[in-house]
Amino acid sequence: MKNLDRIYNYIADKYFMLAIIEIRNIINKYPEKVYLYDSLNDIDMVFRQMVQYKISGVVDPQQDSIVYKISNDLFDILDELQFHSNTVDFINQKNIKVLHVINQYKSLYLSENIKEDQLLLLHDIFIQVLFEDKPQNIIPYIKQILFENDTDIILKQMVCSAVMLRLFLSFNKNLFLLIVESVIKESNSALKTRLYTTFIFVLIQYYSRIIKDRELINGANMILFEESHRSSIIEILKTILKSVDTKRIYDKIQNGLLKEVAKFSSEMKNSTAVLDDDNNLNPKWIDIVENKDIAEKVREFQDLQLEGSDVYFVTFSTMKFFSFFNELPNWFLPFIPSHPSLTKTDTDKNTIDVFSKMEQFCDSDKYSLFLGLSQFPKNMIDSILSQSGGDLDMLKEDQVGEEWKNKLSLSKNPSIARSYIQDLYRFFTCSSFGHYFLNPFDNFVTFFSQLNDNILFDINIQREIADKFFDIEKWDVCNKIYLRLENQNNWDLFFYQRFAFSYQKLKCFSEAIDIYKRAELIDEKDIWSLRQRAFCSIQINDINSAIDCYTSILAINENNVAVLIKLAGCYSILKRYEEEKNILYKVDFVTENNTNVKKSLGWTLLLLGEKENAYKYYKELYQKNLFVEEDYQRAGFVFLVNNDTDKAIELCTKYLKYLGNNNTFIDSMKMSYEQIKQYITLEDYILFVNQIFMNI
């Protein structure tokens, strides 16, 4: 219901009468919820009495407690209505049956040789926790499941995920506090990952409500401001951000690597023979194989994989069509080697165990991979697995069958968090069930970009999050967080460099310059900051400031070739050609065979009236065939003013063909002519251009 957010705000802002009126209108739409009138009327009566006391001047020492109780009672009624609104169509459309079986949880033991009836019971418990419209009836059971040491760990994980989904349908204060308590008490890392994730997603989704309830704030603070939880919270937040970045990664792989592979395959298919007529390797074929673009894309893919990015989403998002995924709970099921869906195939136990060892895949992808590969012959499966997981025999010798039960600590094994959060991302983006719930990934970026307080997320956590947004190139979001944090701490050099660079990427160059100057107060000899400030200064046409930056760098490292070239470029913009020439001579001496430097030096010499020296440089470049298309015009002018007209026409004709547009060519030629018109009259220049067109 679209108006629920407005009513929640009424309650939070203590406009209780408005909230009561709106809630009464909603109950009218749901006859099955008519029993809520009694509770609402009681609240109405208490509130009216409180208002009358206030008007008559009576000071009630219990007033704050009464207001707090009215808020909570109204929230409870609204939560129940929201839950009903969000689930009534869901249950009907998906034909979901809610059975009251949670009291049978003690009979579940899923660790070995799972039977179909055990999975059915697990399924039914998951569904009951998710769709129970009276959570108070099952919270005692959920508490027992999560806190009893002898409860099956898979059941605990599944119940935790069901509670998370339940909270996405509507908030429930007691369920949230139960999650908080479980985070504090739990030690198993696989379960604790799910608890942390639930805590963070629910906290972000209902932040504005939680910070107005002292009991909820106190509960959240027990985790967020406790040092023992900090590294795990930050790890989960960063992992969520990697999943938020999945679309960008997906596009990068689709439009980068996969396009290059398709192009490569096509070229290989259409190429001439590998060997030429003389039985030597065909040069064209060599060019295709040594394609630098595809090699670069593969390296980029490998880097993304090493960083923990979700590079497999491209593949596995299309492999969720198996009937296994038609059951909602299966999207949250840890990979269990003894699962009947796996064991009833012809695949041997050792091969199944190998799947459980593959930490690069999340659990739902393991099920997808297995269910897909199980249709292939065994020797093909072994071949694929050996490529994915290294030495297959070595993997089989490991005791992998028990590994999923006991994991290392979360901070030492981030693959646990990565796996679960990737499972969640697939559920919300690939499953037919996902759109019935609030998608927690959608709100994640918006939340941190708009967060305006440190009530729950302290400045150090926000800094970590800003840095992660920076890493995934969300420049506007990280910039907003850095801006908010700027004056709240004495930050390090790295903070100001990233803050400035985010401004730079947003093309806010003046702001970037100001922040780079703050970075230089921490380390005035940091070359990276000076170079970036120089770049920003050039963008706003403050060339002298750029020169100052480059000069400061050269005082630290006088033979920094890249900076010398940049400085020469600045002098060129200011038409200080003599200074440009001196720098280029130095660079030419240091680098010896830098073709671009020789081109720039030759042109600068021409501008200074040293046309013979310019000709010497350009003639050498011409003889060695070192020109590229962009060089043809300048080279043509150098040859022209040195009376080598044939080469001038040849080169400028090539330039015209390169541009492919007569008007563009004329405009470009005119700009260069203005620089060297001391050598040639306008009449001769026009004649030269006509000769070029005659040469076409």
Side-chain angles (χ1 to χ4, degrees):
M1 289 178 286
K2 294 182 179 179
N3 60 337
L4 286 186
D5 286 342
R6 184 176 71 250
I7 303 174
Y8 277 117
N9 289 332
Y10 287 158
I11 300 171
D13 295 334
K14 299 182 177 58
Y15 295 120
F16 295 139
M17 188 51 63
L18 275 173
I20 290 169
I21 293 170
E22 295 269 10
I23 292 172
R24 186 170 282 119
N25 291 334
I26 293 174
I27 296 175
N28 289 336
K29 298 177 183 178
Y30 296 107
E32 62 273 32
K33 293 295 178 181
V34 69
Y35 62 86
L36 291 174
Y37 276 132
D38 292 339
S39 299
L40 189 62
N41 289 335
D42 289 343
I43 297 170
D44 189 347
M45 183 181 66
V46 171
F47 177 64
R48 289 175 185 275
Q49 288 176 348
M50 186 186 74
V51 171
Q52 288 299 322
Y53 286 148
K54 189 78 172 175
I55 292 172
S56 61
V58 176
V59 178
D60 186 349
Q62 299 298 316
Q63 180 174 310
D64 288 346
S65 298
I66 294 171
V67 169
Y68 185 66
K69 186 176 187 310
I70 290 174
S71 295
N72 281 332
D73 290 346
L74 286 173
F75 277 136
D76 288 344
I77 294 174
L78 198 56
D79 289 338
E80 185 171 341
L81 289 170
Q82 183 181 42
F83 177 79
H84 181 75
S85 171
N86 288 339
T87 57
V88 61
D89 291 337
F90 189 174
I91 291 174
N92 292 335
Q93 291 173 12
K94 295 294 183 180
N95 195 27
I96 293 171
K97 295 181 180 179
V98 182
L99 304 177
H100 299 278
V101 294
I102 194 168
N103 59 331
Q104 301 176 36
Y105 76 90
K106 286 183 178 290
S107 63
L108 269 180
Y109 187 69
L110 303 164
S111 297
E112 292 182 7
N113 301 319
I114 302 176
K115 306 296 185 196
E116 291 281 1
D117 61 334
Q118 292 272 290
L119 283 174
L120 286 174
L121 180 56
L122 177 64
H123 175 284
D124 290 339
I125 290 175
F126 185 99
I127 294 298
Q128 184 183 356
V129 172
L130 175 53
F131 292 110
E132 174 62 59
D133 61 351
K134 301 282 187 190
Q136 63 271 22
N137 294 339
I138 61 170
I139 284 178
Y141 289 108
I142 296 174
K143 199 166 187 175
Q144 291 170 25
I145 290 170
L146 293 176
F147 293 162
E148 289 179 357
N149 292 329
D150 58 349
T151 304
D152 187 271
I153 188 62
I154 294 176
L155 172 61
K156 289 187 176 189
Q157 292 178 69
M158 293 294 283
V159 165
C160 176
S161 294
V163 169
M164 178 190 69
L165 288 182
R166 172 64 179 76
L167 286 165
F168 289 162
L169 290 172
S170 75
F171 187 74
N172 182 277
K173 180 176 181 176
N174 291 324
L175 281 176
F176 179 73
L177 291 174
L178 177 56
I179 291 296
V180 170
E181 186 179 359
S182 301
V183 168
I184 294 169
K185 291 184 177 180
E186 187 54 53
S187 59
N188 178 279
S189 292
L191 175 56
K192 198 150 190 169
T193 293
R194 298 194 180 212
L195 291 167
Y196 276 131
T197 305
T198 299
F199 169 76
I200 290 170
F201 274 144
V202 174
L203 179 65
I204 289 173
Q205 187 61 50
Y206 299 103
Y207 185 82
S208 60
R209 177 169 172 182
I210 289 171
I211 61 173
K212 293 180 180 179
D213 186 316
R214 57 179 175 269
E215 188 177 4
L216 295 175
I217 289 177
N218 290 339
N221 283 344
M222 292 172 69
I223 296 174
L224 292 172
F225 289 91
E226 174 55 49
E227 194 60 36
S228 61
H229 298 293
R230 178 176 295 276
S231 62
S232 296
I233 288 290
I234 290 173
E235 185 65 48
I236 295 289
L237 288 168
K238 288 181 176 180
T239 307
I240 292 171
L241 270 173
K242 283 191 173 74
S243 283
V244 169
D245 194 39
T246 297
K247 186 180 185 305
R248 184 179 68 91
I249 301 300
Y250 179 91
D251 291 340
K252 183 176 285 191
I253 294 172
Q254 286 281 62
N255 299 322
L257 176 62
L258 296 185
K259 276 191 176 180
E260 286 295 335
V261 169
K263 178 183 174 185
F264 175 79
S265 300
S266 175
E267 289 178 347
M268 291 292 288
K269 183 178 179 180
N270 298 324
S271 67
T272 54
V274 175
L275 300 179
D276 61 20
D277 295 337
D278 297 325
N279 228 25
N280 297 318
L281 280 175
N282 190 315
K284 182 178 179 181
W285 195 86
I286 294 173
D287 289 341
I288 295 172
V289 173
E290 294 181 350
N291 186 315
K292 293 182 179 180
D293 290 336
I294 193 169
E296 181 61 34
K297 297 297 181 185
V298 170
R299 279 194 296 272
E300 191 175 336
F301 178 87
Q302 292 170 335
D303 290 342
L304 290 170
Q305 188 175 0
L306 290 172
E307 292 168 3
S309 297
D310 193 354
V311 295
Y312 295 109
F313 180 77
V314 174
T315 301
F316 289 106
S317 61
T318 61
M319 292 181 64
K320 305 301 182 188
F321 53 82
F322 300 104
S323 59
F324 176 85
F325 294 107
N326 292 338
E327 300 295 330
L328 190 154
N330 286 346
W331 288 86
F332 302 89
L333 192 65
F335 188 81
I336 309 171
S338 58
H339 194 287
S341 293
L342 311 182
T343 57
K344 67 184 179 184
T345 66
D346 294 331
T347 312
D348 63 73
K349 182 179 183 300
N350 282 335
T351 301
I352 296 174
D353 284 345
V354 170
F355 276 82
S356 68
K357 185 74 173 178
M358 292 180 172
E359 291 190 351
Q360 68 266 44
F361 302 126
C362 63
D363 288 323
S364 67
D365 285 356
K366 290 178 186 177
Y367 283 114
S368 295
L369 183 61
F370 179 86
L371 293 169
L373 290 180
S374 62
Q375 303 172 37
F376 298 150
K378 182 181 182 303
N379 61 340
M380 186 180 297
I381 296 174
D382 287 349
S383 174
I384 293 171
L385 292 182
S386 65
Q387 295 174 41
S388 300
D391 190 325
L392 188 60
D393 291 331
M394 184 180 296
L395 288 174
K396 288 179 179 178
E397 290 170 3
D398 290 343
Q399 299 299 313
V400 297
E402 302 295 312
E403 185 175 351
W404 51 270
K405 294 182 190 176
N406 298 299
K407 295 288 188 179
L408 300 174
S409 68
L410 178 60
S411 60
K412 294 180 181 178
N413 192 0
S415 63
I416 305 172
R418 183 179 68 245
S419 174
Y420 181 58
I421 290 167
Q422 286 180 2
D423 280 328
L424 292 181
Y425 189 83
R426 281 147 179 71
F427 173 77
F428 286 105
T429 55
C430 302
S431 81
S432 62
F433 305 102
H435 69 277
Y436 287 99
F437 301 88
L438 291 170
N439 187 329
F441 296 96
D442 288 346
N443 193 39
F444 196 82
V445 174
T446 304
F447 172 79
F448 279 103
S449 65
Q450 296 179 352
L451 184 66
N452 290 316
D453 61 65
N454 303 321
I455 295 175
L456 292 179
F457 289 95
D458 71 21
I459 58 174
N460 293 309
I461 290 181
Q462 291 188 54
R463 159 75 187 279
E464 295 265 6
I465 295 302
D467 286 344
K468 194 60 204 172
F469 275 119
F470 182 97
D471 292 340
I472 64 174
E473 300 177 14
K474 295 279 188 182
W475 309 118
D476 56 333
V477 181
C478 69
N479 179 266
K480 288 177 182 176
I481 303 175
Y482 289 137
L483 180 62
R484 187 168 61 240
L485 298 176
E486 178 184 4
N487 297 316
Q488 298 190 41
N489 197 5
N490 292 319
W491 298 108
D492 56 14
L493 174 68
F494 201 43
F495 174 90
Y496 291 110
Q497 287 179 327
R498 288 190 156 216
F499 185 17
F501 193 74
S502 68
Y503 270 130
Q504 182 175 323
K505 297 301 286 187
L506 293 170
K507 302 189 184 304
C508 300
F509 299 113
S510 296
E511 292 84 350
I513 289 169
D514 290 340
I515 304 301
Y516 280 128
K517 288 179 178 178
R518 294 183 67 175
E520 291 162 29
L521 291 175
I522 298 173
D523 185 355
E524 63 181 6
K525 294 184 178 181
D526 184 81
I527 292 176
W528 189 88
S529 297
L530 288 165
R531 285 193 65 171
Q532 298 307 317
R533 180 157 71 88
F535 171 83
C536 293
S537 296
I538 292 171
Q539 303 311 304
I540 61 172
N541 205 32
D542 186 0
I543 309 303
N544 286 315
S545 291
I547 289 173
D548 290 341
C549 291
Y550 291 136
T551 303
S552 297
I553 296 172
L554 294 172
I556 301 167
N557 179 3
E558 63 179 350
N559 291 321
N560 188 319
V561 171
V563 172
L564 284 167
I565 292 173
K566 294 285 188 183
L567 180 58
C570 289
Y571 285 134
S572 177
I573 294 171
L574 297 177
K575 299 182 180 181
R576 292 162 60 175
Y577 298 126
E578 192 67 39
E579 290 159 292
E580 179 190 6
K581 179 187 75 171
N582 293 335
I583 292 173
L584 290 175
Y585 268 134
K586 179 176 181 178
V587 175
D588 188 39
F589 176 78
V590 172
T591 60
E592 294 184 4
N593 293 315
N594 190 316
T595 302
N596 289 329
V597 171
K598 292 181 183 298
K599 294 172 188 175
S600 296
L601 179 54
W603 186 254
T604 302
L605 290 168
L606 184 68
L607 298 180
L608 286 169
E610 301 179 34
K611 66 176 186 178
E612 293 81 5
N613 288 332
Y615 184 65
K616 181 183 70 173
Y617 276 98
Y618 271 81
K619 185 176 181 180
E620 179 186 352
L621 293 167
Y622 177 85
Q623 290 171 344
K624 293 181 179 180
N625 196 27
L626 295 176
F627 292 135
V628 295
E629 289 89 343
E630 291 86 351
D631 301 324
Y632 292 148
Q633 183 201 63
R634 282 188 171 184
F637 274 117
V638 171
F639 284 111
L640 178 65
V641 301
N642 282 281
N643 300 316
D644 197 341
T645 308
D646 290 342
K647 288 189 180 67
I649 293 173
E650 172 202 338
L651 290 165
C652 286
T653 301
K654 287 183 177 181
Y655 186 64
L656 171 59
K657 291 178 180 179
Y658 163 65
L659 291 180
N661 184 288
N662 292 345
N663 291 330
T664 304
F665 172 75
I666 291 174
D667 290 342
S668 179
M669 291 287 287
K670 187 66 181 296
M671 288 176 63
S672 293
Y673 167 70
E674 290 296 327
Q675 290 185 283
I676 52 94
K677 60 185 180 182
Q678 71 267 33
Y679 295 110
I680 181 171
T681 66
L682 178 60
E683 183 180 355
D684 287 339
Y685 163 72
I686 294 173
L687 175 63
F688 174 60
V689 172
N690 281 313
Q691 286 179 285
I692 295 167
F693 281 106
M694 290 170 60
N695 198 43
I696 294 295

